[in-house]
């Protein structure tokens, strides 16, 4: 299980958080809606990769991550069914923060927590799809764009400006 980072009030996500997580997701990513069922399934499949950023009285952000296959980002708003038997990447499905939590260091703290989890999982890299102009944030945290025709085709539902990014850990 992930340890709380001293720079922010990240804590383990619980099933009781799912409605608030969906609310945050709807505000942060209005063009990429996902249901509480999708978040719930990720929590059930890999609870160590699901965190919430707890503000006073409400959740101000969340992370969803899990072991996966490099270069094969999951479809949006679709349950996984299962995790791969032989994953080769630690996939960051989302780090979402409400505007009131941005600039607080919460994003960097989340990346640090997820990196520790990826290393603990024995995976040699982390990957994600950067949307809505977030690639600069991810570059600052060691991620680089990985582009192939196959990956570009898989990103169609994420939008033209989306970028598949990878951070090598070893």
């Amino acid at each position: 299980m992930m340890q709380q980072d001293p720079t922010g009030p990240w804590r383990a996500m619980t099933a009781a958080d799912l409605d608030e997580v969906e609310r945050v997701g709807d505000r942060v990513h209005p063009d990429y809606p996902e249901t509480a069922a999708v978040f719930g399934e990720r929590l059930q499949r890999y609870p160590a990769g699901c965190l919430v950023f707890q503000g006073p009285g409400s959740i101000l952000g969340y992370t969803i991550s899990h072991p996966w296959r490099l270069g094969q980002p999951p479809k949006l708003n679709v349950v996984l069914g299962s995790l791969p038997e032989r994953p080769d990447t630690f996939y960051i499905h989302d780090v979402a923060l409400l505007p009131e939590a941005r600039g607080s260091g919460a994003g960097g703290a989340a990346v640090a927590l997820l990196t520790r989890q990826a290393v603990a999982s024995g995976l040699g890299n982390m990957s994600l799809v950067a949307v809505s102009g977030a690639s600069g944030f991810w570059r600052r945290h060691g991620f680089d764009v990985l582009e192939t025709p196959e990956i570009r085709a898989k990103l169609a539902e994420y939008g033209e400006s989306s970028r598949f990014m990878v951070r090598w850990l070893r």
Side-chain angles (χ1 to χ4, degrees):
M1 176 144 259
M2 290 188 196
Q3 298 297 311
Q4 181 170 321
D5 190 283
T7 63
W10 287 99
R11 65 167 174 81
M13 184 185 294
T14 69
D17 296 323
L18 293 175
D19 287 340
E20 271 197 272
V21 167
E22 183 180 18
R23 177 188 58 79
V24 170
D26 288 347
R27 280 188 60 198
V28 174
H29 299 301
D31 296 332
Y32 310 99
E34 293 192 291
T35 64
V38 169
F39 296 127
E41 193 238 9
R42 301 298 199 281
L43 175 61
Q44 179 186 19
R45 299 259 174 247
Y46 197 75
C50 300
L51 304 170
V52 294
F53 188 73
Q54 184 66 55
S58 66
I59 290 172
L60 300 178
Y62 66 85
T63 69
I64 304 284
S65 60
H66 52 81
W68 199 244
R69 292 178 295 273
L70 186 62
Q72 299 180 26
K75 291 189 175 290
L76 291 169
N77 203 30
V78 173
V79 296
L80 299 174
S82 64
L83 295 177
E85 286 185 34
R86 292 188 186 105
D88 57 2
T89 193
F90 190 80
Y91 185 75
I92 301 174
H93 178 83
D94 204 358
V95 173
L97 292 169
L98 292 175
E100 52 268 36
R102 295 180 193 151
S104 68
V111 174
L113 288 165
L114 296 176
T115 301
R116 284 198 292 254
Q117 185 61 35
V119 169
S121 298
L123 295 165
N125 67 77
M126 302 166 70
S127 62
L128 56 92
V129 176
V131 298
S132 305
S135 58
F137 169 84
W138 293 108
R139 281 186 196 282
R140 287 190 300 277
H141 292 283
F143 287 79
D144 293 308
V145 172
L146 178 63
E147 184 140 1
T148 67
E150 297 80 17
I151 290 174
R152 178 54 37 210
K154 291 177 187 297
L155 296 184
E157 71 177 319
Y158 288 89
E160 186 62 34
S161 67
S162 64
R163 298 290 177 260
F164 187 79
M165 301 185 79
V166 177
R167 177 178 170 191
W168 300 99
L169 300 173
R170 45 185 162 148

